[in-house]
């Protein structure tokens, strides 16, 4: 491979993985000076009995100061303010976040406010606000997708101004990531499949986008091979402990990769589809990932071809002529989506037009596509994508993804 | 200690690089103002920005800079190279003069420079993305194709930007950018 002219990479999250990983938490947190952690989670995780599992595992080692489980699906800065008050009132000194992306981001927000002091997260905005080490944060992901346990960002909604507050700081990297298969056992099959596709999207995009570098490449390729080997077994049979542990590892590795080399078209379009139509992130990722590869092939033929090696294994890679590898990689991802669709009884989505709201109406009406395409210009993921993405380009891709058809390559604008 | 062994350090090359960056920023600033009166896409983007919105692009830590504001009329106005006394809502700074020189001599595309962390951006992200797009369009008009191809991610082909329109708009932008208004703004900044 050619070396990038410049890159930077930083990932310093202590990661523990294994069937008894949670039992290690008290010792590791004590080593960081922790005495009274607060557990941050949501009602779904609590109802699944996971908080009992967690408290049992760390029982006796640490004095749990509070359990804050009031994180709604659409968490915002007021939830953060509320959680930080609970933290301070109970004299906690660390956070153990147990949940998916929304819980982890909210926990990072609470940690900013609780560590730096203050009444509201609104007062912590602006670049350079976070200038020092925050209090310890341990993350126990209950989905294998977002990779937030490895990222240095927190996105917190400001519902009143309809904006998203973006916090980026190396101090937001958690101190500890705990990958324990007990945490993902209760996740329904169609969520296991969609969140894993989010992780696959992180790995693929970090491998072909403009900030790719040798360190993130290594993480991305291994994450891809773990997912392609273990996703179907984990979805078919949640009792497959090792398969679920593999997915948790892949998600964390893909998280570390994309936290450093960023994402492109798939997330650019996916963020906006999610925001406009209230579709879960993993759903958007499953559908859009093949299009990200197709759209960028003319710029990154070699890198996208190499993805095939990890997706399909050395034999298929070697048998496929170099020119045909990118398309074969796309085909593999489409096949994976199709298999997941069948195993989950149709709950794993294949194209935007088939996603339904709870009341059966289409979640992404075709008439919403032009608005989505326009709004992609305001999303940061458009910058690291190798090919330019203007609203006309976004609309063209969205129309294909809506109907579930292969991207018509003659319609990709490649410039002069 | 012999004081004669410590002669005055002459800035030499740095002055040249700064002067070069100064001229580039002046031309780009005037070019953006002109593009907002000529190109449909720029007009559309500017319509989405709040009135009074002021942004600055320049080289940290000590300049040169350019400052542009959206006026009451709804149009962008290049205000010159002085930041003093202006409330800047979006501050985009290239981290040092060396990086700026590489970008302004088109050895690193604007997108790649962003991805390599050469810029520090303070302000709201959607607005920053809007301004970056406007700068790309301005560069496509201001620069000859052979150079603009190095600066932007995708240089539009004849289907994306028909040559007739490109050359006509380019002429109008040049005429506006180098009109007597240029001398007025230079004079006001001195
Ligand atoms: Fe994602």
């Amino acid at each position: 491979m050619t070396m990038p002219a410049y890159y930077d990479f930083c990932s310093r999250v202590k990661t523990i993985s294994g069937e008894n990983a949670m039992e290690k938490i008290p010792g590791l947190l004590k080593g960081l000076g922790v005495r009274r952690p607060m557990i941050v989670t949501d009602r779904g995780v609590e109802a699944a009995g996971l908080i009992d599992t967690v408290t049992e595992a760390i029982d006796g080692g640490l004095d749990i100061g509070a359990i804050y489980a009031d994180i709604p699906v659409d968490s915002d800065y007021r939830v953060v303010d509320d959680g930080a008050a609970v933290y301070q009132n109970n004299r906690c000194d660390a956070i153990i976040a147990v949940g998916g992306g929304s819980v982890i981001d909210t926990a990072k927000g609470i940690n900013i406010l609780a560590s730096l002091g203050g009444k509201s997260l609104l007062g912590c905005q602006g670049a350079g606000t976070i200038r020092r080490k925050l209090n310890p944060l341990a993350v126990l992901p209950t989905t294998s997708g977002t990779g937030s346990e490895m990222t240095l960002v927190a996105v917190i909604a400001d519902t009143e101004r309809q904006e998203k507050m973006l916090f980026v700081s190396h101090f937001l990297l958690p101190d500890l990531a705990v990958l324990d298969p007990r945490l993902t056992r209760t996740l329904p099959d169609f969520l296991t499949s969609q969140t894993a596709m989010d992780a696959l999207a992180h790995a693929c995009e970090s491998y072909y986008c403009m900030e790719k570098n040798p360190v993130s490449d290594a993480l991305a390729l291994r994450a891809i091979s773990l997912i392609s080997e273990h996703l179907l077994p984990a979805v078919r049979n949640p009792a497959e402990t090792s398969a679920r542990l593999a997915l948790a590892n892949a998600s964390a590795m893909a998280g570390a990769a994309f936290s450093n080399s960023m994402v492109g078209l798939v997330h650019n379009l996916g963020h906006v589809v999610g925001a406009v139509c209230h579709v879960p992130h993993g759903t958007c990722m499953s559908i859009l990932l093949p299009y990200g590869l197709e759209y960028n092939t003319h710029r990154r033929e070699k890198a996208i071809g190499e993805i095939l090696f990890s997706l399909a294994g050395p034999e298929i890679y070697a048998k496929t002529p170099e020119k045909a590898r990118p398309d074969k990689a796309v085909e593999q991802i489409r096949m994976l989506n199709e298999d997941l669709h069948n195993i989950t009884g149709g709950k794993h989505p294949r194209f935007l037009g088939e996603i339904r709201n709870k009341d059966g109406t289409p979640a992404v009406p075709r008439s919403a596509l032009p608005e989505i395409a326009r709004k992609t210009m305001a999303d940061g993921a458009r910058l690291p994508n190798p090919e330019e993405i203007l609203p006309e380009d976004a609309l063209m891709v969205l129309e294909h993804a809506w109907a579930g058809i292969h991207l018509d390559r003659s319609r990709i604008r490649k410039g002069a | 200690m012999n004081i004669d062994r410590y002669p005055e350090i002459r800035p030499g090359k740095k002055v040249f690089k700064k002067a070069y960056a100064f001229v580039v920023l002046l031309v780009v600033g005037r070019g953006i103002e002109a593009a907002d009166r000529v190109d449909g896409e720029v007009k559309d983007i500017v319509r989405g920005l709040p009135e009074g919105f002021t942004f600055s692009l320049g080289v940290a830590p000590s300049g040169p800079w350019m400052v542009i504001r959206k006026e009451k009329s709804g149009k962008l106005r290049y205000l010159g190279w002085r930041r003093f006394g202006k409330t800047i809502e979006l501050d985009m700074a290239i981290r040092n003069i060396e990086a700026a020189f590489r970008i302004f001599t088109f050895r690193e595309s604007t997108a790649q420079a962003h991805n390599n962390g050469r810029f520090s951006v303070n302000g709201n992200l959607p607005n920053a993305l809007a301004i970056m797009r406007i700068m790309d369009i301005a560069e496509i008009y201001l620069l000859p194709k052979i150079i603009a191809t190095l600066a932007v991610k995708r240089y539009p082909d004849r289907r994306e930007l028909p040559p007739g329109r490109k050359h006509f708009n380019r002429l109008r932008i040049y005429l506006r950018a180098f009109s007597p208004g240029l001398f007025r703004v230079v004079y006001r900044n001195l």
Side-chain angles (χ1 to χ4, degrees), chain A residues 48-211:
Chain A
L50 288 173
I51 298 305
D52 296 336
T53 318
V54 173
T55 46
E56 222 167 87
I58 60 178
D59 195 28
L62 286 164
D63 177 17
I64 291 164
I67 295 177
Y68 185 74
D70 292 322
I71 297 182
V73 186
D74 48 350
S75 176
D76 65 6
Y77 78 91
R78 281 169 303 191
V79 181
V80 169
D81 296 354
D82 201 34
V86 174
Y87 181 104
Q88 278 149 353
N89 293 341
N90 290 284
R91 299 186 318 283
C92 297
D93 56 7
I95 292 174
I96 299 176
V98 189
S102 167
V103 167
I104 301 172
D105 271 20
T106 309
K108 286 178 179 174
I110 294 175
N111 202 25
I112 297 173
L113 190 54
S115 306
L116 300 180
K119 281 258 171 289
S120 173
L121 193 66
L122 291 178
C124 300
Q125 290 181 88
T129 314
I130 310 168
R131 287 168 193 280
R132 64 174 180 81
K133 178 101 186 61
L134 305 179
N135 295 349
L137 169 66
V139 175
L140 284 58
T142 58
T143 64
S144 295
T146 65
S148 308
E149 66 275 19
M150 293 295 187
T151 66
L152 45 76
V153 295
V155 183
I156 310 283
D158 179 344
T159 10
E160 280 128 36
R161 285 187 300 159
Q162 295 203 335
E163 264 182 26
K164 282 187 169 164
M165 295 191 265
L166 180 68
F167 296 90
V168 185
S169 164
H170 283 110
F171 296 122
L172 284 175
L173 281 168
D175 297 276
L176 183 62
V178 185
L179 313 175
D180 189 314
R182 285 172 286 180
L183 291 164
T184 54
R185 192 170 44 206
T186 52
L187 196 68
D189 57 1
F190 68 98
L191 290 182
T192 303
S193 69
Q194 294 177 31
T195 50
M197 291 305 282
D198 183 20
L200 188 61
H202 295 155
C204 292
E205 291 215 281
S206 90
Y207 197 74
Y208 65 69
C209 282
M210 289 176 77
E211 290 185 56

Side-chain angles (χ1 to χ4, degrees), chain A residues 198 202 267 281 285:
Chain A
D198 183 20
H202 295 155
H267 277 78
H281 183 63
M285 293 301 105

